[in-house]
Amino acid sequence: GEDVEQSLFLSVREGDSSVINCTYTDSSSTYLYWYKQEPGAGLQLLTYIFSNMDMKQDQRLTVLLNKKDKHLSLRIADTQTGDSAIYFCAESDSGGGADGLTFGKGTHLIIQP
Amino acid sequence: DAGVTQSPTHLIKTRGQQVTLRCSPKSGHDTVSWYQQALGQGPQFIFQYYEEEERQRGNFPDRFSGHQFPNYSSELNVNALLLGDSALYLCASTSQVQDVLTFGAGSRLTVL
Protein backbone atom coordinates (compact mmCIF):
# COMPACT_ATOMS: atom_id res chain seq x y z
CA GLY A 1 0.00 0.00 0.00
CA GLU A 2 0.90 3.65 0.04
CA ASP A 3 3.62 4.67 2.48
CA VAL A 4 5.22 7.93 3.58
CA GLU A 5 8.49 7.87 5.52
CA GLN A 6 10.12 10.60 7.58
CA SER A 7 12.94 10.66 10.09
CA LEU A 8 11.59 11.04 13.62
CA PHE A 9 13.81 13.82 14.99
CA LEU A 10 15.80 16.80 13.72
CA SER A 11 17.81 19.11 15.96
CA VAL A 12 19.05 22.49 14.71
CA ARG A 13 20.49 25.64 16.20
CA GLU A 14 18.37 28.78 16.30
CA GLY A 15 19.10 30.88 13.22
CA ASP A 16 20.26 27.93 11.11
CA SER A 17 18.26 26.36 8.29
CA SER A 18 16.23 23.21 8.96
CA VAL A 19 15.74 20.61 6.25
CA ILE A 20 13.07 17.97 6.84
CA ASN A 21 13.00 15.07 4.40
CA CYS A 22 10.23 12.73 3.30
CA THR A 23 9.95 9.81 0.88
CA TYR A 24 6.76 8.32 -0.51
CA THR A 25 5.91 5.23 -2.51
CA ASP A 26 2.70 6.09 -4.40
CA SER A 27 3.52 6.83 -8.04
CA SER A 28 0.15 8.48 -8.56
CA SER A 29 0.67 11.07 -5.82
CA THR A 30 -0.48 14.36 -7.26
CA TYR A 31 -0.51 16.61 -4.22
CA LEU A 32 2.21 16.70 -1.56
CA TYR A 33 1.68 18.61 1.66
CA TRP A 34 3.57 19.80 4.70
CA TYR A 35 1.62 20.24 7.92
CA LYS A 36 2.80 21.54 11.30
CA GLN A 37 1.44 20.32 14.64
CA GLU A 38 2.20 22.07 17.91
CA PRO A 39 1.57 20.34 21.27
CA GLY A 40 -2.12 19.84 21.97
CA ALA A 41 -3.15 21.38 18.66
CA GLY A 42 -4.51 20.23 15.32
CA LEU A 43 -2.68 20.35 12.01
CA GLN A 44 -1.74 23.62 10.37
CA LEU A 45 -1.12 23.56 6.63
CA LEU A 46 2.27 25.10 5.86
CA THR A 47 2.49 24.63 2.12
CA TYR A 48 1.80 22.15 -0.66
CA ILE A 49 3.14 21.36 -4.10
CA PHE A 50 1.75 19.71 -7.21
CA SER A 51 3.63 16.74 -8.58
CA ASN A 52 4.40 18.62 -11.82
CA MET A 53 6.45 21.20 -9.90
CA ASP A 54 10.07 20.94 -8.75
CA MET A 55 10.15 23.73 -6.21
CA LYS A 56 7.91 26.13 -4.35
CA GLN A 57 9.01 29.00 -2.14
CA ASP A 58 6.86 30.82 0.40
CA GLN A 59 8.68 33.31 2.64
CA ARG A 60 10.99 31.24 4.89
CA LEU A 61 9.74 27.92 3.48
CA THR A 62 11.15 26.15 0.44
CA VAL A 63 9.75 22.85 -0.81
CA LEU A 64 11.78 20.69 -3.18
CA LEU A 65 10.29 17.72 -5.02
CA ASN A 66 12.27 15.00 -6.78
CA LYS A 67 9.50 13.02 -8.43
CA LYS A 68 11.87 10.45 -9.92
CA ASP A 69 13.16 9.50 -6.47
CA LYS A 70 9.80 10.22 -4.77
CA HIS A 71 11.59 12.54 -2.35
CA LEU A 72 10.15 15.70 -0.82
CA SER A 73 11.92 18.16 1.44
CA LEU A 74 10.95 21.21 3.46
CA ARG A 75 13.58 23.84 4.19
CA ILE A 76 12.91 26.40 6.91
CA ALA A 77 15.29 29.35 6.73
CA ASP A 78 16.44 31.19 9.87
CA THR A 79 14.82 28.68 12.23
CA GLN A 80 13.23 30.23 15.31
CA THR A 81 12.07 28.79 18.63
CA GLY A 82 8.48 29.16 17.42
CA ASP A 83 9.24 26.63 14.70
CA SER A 84 9.57 23.90 17.32
CA ALA A 85 6.82 21.40 16.45
CA ILE A 86 6.09 18.12 14.67
CA TYR A 87 6.15 18.39 10.87
CA PHE A 88 4.09 15.94 8.80
CA CYS A 89 4.56 15.13 5.17
CA ALA A 90 1.40 13.90 3.39
CA GLU A 91 0.40 12.86 -0.09
CA SER A 92 -2.87 12.56 -1.98
CA ASP A 93 -3.92 11.41 -5.42
CA SER A 94 -6.62 14.07 -5.61
CA GLY A 95 -7.21 17.59 -4.42
CA GLY A 96 -9.06 18.27 -1.20
CA GLY A 97 -8.03 14.87 0.09
CA ALA A 98 -11.04 13.23 -1.54
CA ASP A 99 -9.41 9.83 -1.33
CA GLY A 100 -7.76 10.59 1.99
CA LEU A 101 -4.32 11.98 2.73
CA THR A 102 -1.57 9.52 3.63
CA PHE A 103 0.66 10.96 6.34
CA GLY A 104 4.12 10.12 7.57
CA LYS A 105 4.75 9.64 11.28
CA GLY A 106 6.08 13.17 11.62
CA THR A 107 9.46 14.75 12.30
CA HIS A 108 10.01 16.40 15.68
CA LEU A 109 11.96 19.63 15.07
CA ILE A 110 14.01 20.57 18.12
CA ILE A 111 15.56 24.03 18.30
CA GLN A 112 18.75 24.52 20.27
CA PRO A 113 19.49 28.04 21.58
CA ASP B 1 -14.06 33.69 10.60
CA ALA B 2 -14.29 30.53 12.69
CA GLY B 3 -12.26 27.64 11.41
CA VAL B 4 -13.13 24.00 11.96
CA THR B 5 -14.62 23.47 15.41
CA GLN B 6 -14.78 20.12 17.19
CA SER B 7 -16.46 18.95 20.38
CA PRO B 8 -15.82 17.70 22.93
CA THR B 9 -12.14 18.50 23.28
CA HIS B 10 -11.48 15.65 25.70
CA LEU B 11 -13.49 12.66 26.84
CA ILE B 12 -12.99 9.40 28.68
CA LYS B 13 -14.94 6.22 27.97
CA THR B 14 -14.71 2.61 29.01
CA ARG B 15 -14.35 -0.43 26.80
CA GLY B 16 -17.56 -1.47 25.09
CA GLN B 17 -19.15 1.97 25.27
CA GLN B 18 -20.12 4.13 22.32
CA VAL B 19 -18.95 7.66 21.55
CA THR B 20 -20.10 10.49 19.29
CA LEU B 21 -17.77 13.27 18.21
CA ARG B 22 -18.96 16.43 16.47
CA CYS B 23 -17.49 18.75 13.88
CA SER B 24 -18.54 22.05 12.31
CA PRO B 25 -16.69 22.83 9.08
CA LYS B 26 -15.09 26.13 8.20
CA SER B 27 -17.48 28.67 6.72
CA GLY B 28 -17.87 28.04 3.00
CA HIS B 29 -16.78 24.41 3.19
CA ASP B 30 -19.13 21.55 2.35
CA THR B 31 -16.92 18.47 2.66
CA VAL B 32 -15.83 16.90 5.94
CA SER B 33 -13.18 14.27 6.56
CA TRP B 34 -12.28 12.42 9.76
CA TYR B 35 -8.82 11.22 10.78
CA GLN B 36 -7.55 9.19 13.72
CA GLN B 37 -4.16 10.10 15.17
CA ALA B 38 -2.76 7.60 17.67
CA LEU B 39 0.00 8.73 20.01
CA GLY B 40 3.29 9.14 18.15
CA GLN B 41 1.71 8.43 14.76
CA GLY B 42 0.56 10.42 11.79
CA PRO B 43 -3.17 10.88 11.17
CA GLN B 44 -4.98 8.04 9.41
CA PHE B 45 -7.93 8.64 7.11
CA ILE B 46 -11.25 7.26 8.38
CA PHE B 47 -13.79 8.60 5.85
CA GLN B 48 -15.02 11.65 3.99
CA TYR B 49 -18.57 13.01 3.73
CA TYR B 50 -20.00 15.14 0.95
CA GLU B 51 -23.65 15.85 0.20
CA GLU B 52 -24.59 13.91 3.32
CA GLU B 53 -23.07 10.70 1.98
CA GLU B 54 -19.89 8.80 2.75
CA ARG B 55 -17.75 9.27 -0.33
CA GLN B 56 -14.51 7.50 0.55
CA ARG B 57 -13.43 5.30 3.43
CA GLY B 58 -10.07 4.27 4.80
CA ASN B 59 -9.15 0.97 6.39
CA PHE B 60 -11.40 1.20 9.46
CA PRO B 61 -13.97 -1.34 10.68
CA ASP B 62 -17.73 -0.82 10.54
CA ARG B 63 -17.67 0.16 14.22
CA PHE B 64 -16.69 3.56 12.86
CA SER B 65 -19.62 5.34 11.26
CA GLY B 66 -20.51 8.88 10.45
CA HIS B 67 -23.13 11.31 9.39
CA GLN B 68 -23.28 14.64 7.66
CA PHE B 69 -26.14 17.04 8.21
CA PRO B 70 -27.75 19.50 5.75
CA ASN B 71 -25.75 22.35 7.34
CA TYR B 72 -22.55 20.38 6.46
CA SER B 73 -21.67 19.61 10.08
CA SER B 74 -20.70 16.04 10.81
CA GLU B 75 -20.60 13.38 13.52
CA LEU B 76 -18.25 10.47 14.00
CA ASN B 77 -19.64 7.51 15.93
CA VAL B 78 -17.55 4.68 17.31
CA ASN B 79 -19.30 1.62 18.77
CA ALA B 80 -17.97 -1.12 21.05
CA LEU B 81 -14.92 0.90 22.03
CA LEU B 82 -11.57 -0.84 22.34
CA LEU B 83 -8.48 0.32 24.22
CA GLY B 84 -6.83 0.80 20.83
CA ASP B 85 -9.41 3.42 19.88
CA SER B 86 -7.72 5.85 22.26
CA ALA B 87 -6.48 8.64 20.00
CA LEU B 88 -6.86 12.22 18.84
CA TYR B 89 -9.72 12.39 16.34
CA LEU B 90 -9.28 15.15 13.82
CA CYS B 91 -11.94 16.64 11.61
CA ALA B 92 -10.96 18.45 8.43
CA SER B 93 -13.06 20.41 5.97
CA THR B 94 -12.71 21.62 2.42
CA SER B 95 -14.80 22.60 -0.56
CA GLN B 96 -15.03 21.02 -3.97
CA VAL B 97 -12.98 23.81 -5.52
CA GLN B 98 -10.10 23.66 -3.04
CA ASP B 99 -6.98 21.51 -3.00
CA VAL B 100 -6.31 21.64 0.73
CA LEU B 101 -7.87 20.55 4.00
CA THR B 102 -8.36 22.76 7.05
CA PHE B 103 -8.06 20.80 10.29
CA GLY B 104 -9.71 21.33 13.64
CA ALA B 105 -7.91 21.03 16.98
CA GLY B 106 -9.27 17.53 17.54
CA SER B 107 -11.13 15.53 20.15
CA ARG B 108 -8.92 13.46 22.42
CA LEU B 109 -10.58 10.16 23.32
CA THR B 110 -9.25 7.97 26.12
CA VAL B 111 -10.68 4.47 26.46
CA LEU B 112 -10.11 2.76 29.82
Side-chain angles (χ1 to χ4, degrees):
Chain A
E2 300 161 5
D3 197 19
V4 176
E5 297 284 342
Q6 302 177 238
S7 53
L8 291 183
F9 294 96
L10 175 66
S11 179
V12 299
R13 290 192 180 277
E14 188 175 0
D16 287 351
S17 291
S18 305
V19 179
I20 303 171
N21 294 301
C22 166
T23 57
Y24 59 97
T25 59
D26 187 0
S27 299
S28 59
S29 295
T30 304
Y31 297 81
L32 294 138
Y33 305 87
W34 284 104
Y35 281 89
K36 175 183 180 182
Q37 187 174 40
E38 297 181 84
L43 300 176
Q44 174 194 353
L45 177 70
L46 291 176
T47 186
Y48 69 104
I49 190 170
F50 297 111
S51 60
N52 62 357
M53 299 169 64
D54 297 324
M55 186 182 84
K56 182 178 180 181
Q57 190 154 1
D58 184 1
Q59 299 182 349
R60 291 193 298 126
L61 305 179
T62 303
V63 178
L64 295 178
L65 174 60
N66 182 328
K67 192 175 180 182
K68 173 177 170 290
D69 293 338
K70 298 189 183 69
H71 182 268
L72 183 74
S73 68
L74 173 69
R75 178 176 178 269
I76 305 172
D78 186 25
T79 308
Q80 302 298 308
T81 55
D83 296 323
S84 179
I86 304 174
Y87 290 80
F88 290 95
C89 169
E91 64 85 21
S92 174
D93 293 354
S94 58
D99 60 347
L101 270 62
T102 300
F103 285 84
K105 291 186 177 182
T107 298
H108 294 243
L109 179 61
I110 301 163
I111 316 301
Q112 299 176 15
Chain B
D1 175 27
V4 178
T5 57
Q6 294 186 240
S7 64
T9 54
H10 296 83
L11 70 166
I12 300 173
K13 294 284 187 178
T14 56
R15 280 178 297 174
Q17 285 189 313
Q18 178 262 347
V19 68
T20 298
L21 307 178
R22 297 176 176 82
C23 172
S24 291
K26 182 178 178 179
S27 178
H29 288 183
D30 58 8
T31 305
V32 174
S33 302
W34 287 93
Y35 287 77
Q36 180 195 64
Q37 186 180 17
L39 197 62
Q41 303 293 317
Q44 286 195 296
F45 175 65
I46 303 175
F47 41 53
Q48 185 180 78
Y49 276 83
Y50 172 64
E51 292 188 335
E52 302 180 46
E53 292 194 357
E54 182 182 296
R55 191 163 74 163
Q56 285 286 342
R57 188 180 185 94
N59 189 24
F60 279 80
D62 292 345
R63 298 187 298 109
F64 290 77
S65 63
H67 190 76
Q68 186 179 34
F69 299 93
N71 67 353
Y72 310 123
S73 67
S74 177
E75 288 182 350
L76 164 66
N77 300 292
V78 187
N79 294 322
L81 285 167
L82 304 173
L83 295 179
D85 295 330
S86 294
L88 181 67
Y89 288 85
L90 295 164
C91 173
S93 71
T94 189
S95 70
Q96 293 304 296
V97 297
Q98 286 199 338
D99 295 325
V100 298
L101 297 177
T102 301
F103 281 83
S107 293
R108 184 164 297 282
L109 170 65
T110 302
V111 182
L112 301 177

